[in-house]
Amino acid sequence: MIEAADQVRKLTDGITVGALEADRQRRDALLWNFTVLGEAASQLSDEITKSFPDIAWKQPVRLRNRIVHGYWSVDLEILHTAAREQLPQFAVDLRRVLASIREGG
């Protein structure tokens, strides 16, 4: 999840929505990484998600479902905003969860 979040950040760093619309390869990579992130979030155990209730675990899952099941209506501006404004904190939270797990709880 951390790698996918980091990749999303890299794919949108310094990129406008217009540039994203014009670059199919970058757009497809962005969609793929959001999909991976959401799928991984959906596979987390209840133990992890309940141990960190302050993290919006369902957000990436909902976005993944939208991309996969409603791909024709995905709004790139929403993806761009999520990548630039919401995902950085989510990545920080993921690193906090990973550190906690590695420390044994």
Side-chain angles (χ1 to χ4, degrees):
M1 290 175 70
I2 292 169
E3 287 178 19
D6 288 346
Q7 190 62 28
V8 165
R9 184 188 51 78
K10 289 176 189 173
L11 287 163
T12 57
D13 197 26
I15 301 297
T16 65
V17 174
L20 192 57
E21 288 172 347
D23 186 342
R24 172 131 192 199
Q25 190 170 17
R26 181 180 296 268
R27 184 176 68 241
D28 287 354
L30 181 66
L31 291 168
W32 172 253
N33 281 282
F34 268 124
T35 300
V36 167
L37 181 62
E39 183 63 24
S42 76
Q43 301 297 319
L44 291 171
S45 70
D46 286 343
E47 179 183 350
I48 289 176
T49 59
K50 288 180 180 176
S51 294
F52 299 91
D54 58 313
I55 299 175
W57 297 113
K58 293 184 181 186
Q59 302 271 91
V61 176
R62 286 186 192 121
L63 184 55
R64 175 252 180 231
N65 290 342
R66 178 65 175 196
I67 291 168
V68 172
H69 300 293
Y71 58 88
W72 61 89
S73 63
V74 171
D75 186 332
L76 288 178
E77 186 147 346
I78 291 172
L79 289 181
H80 189 268
T81 299
R84 304 307 307 152
E85 296 178 13
Q86 296 166 328
L87 202 55
Q89 182 58 52
F90 191 72
V92 168
D93 291 339
L94 291 174
R95 286 181 170 84
R96 176 171 53 94
V97 170
L98 183 60
S100 177
I101 291 169
R102 286 182 174 164
E103 292 172 1

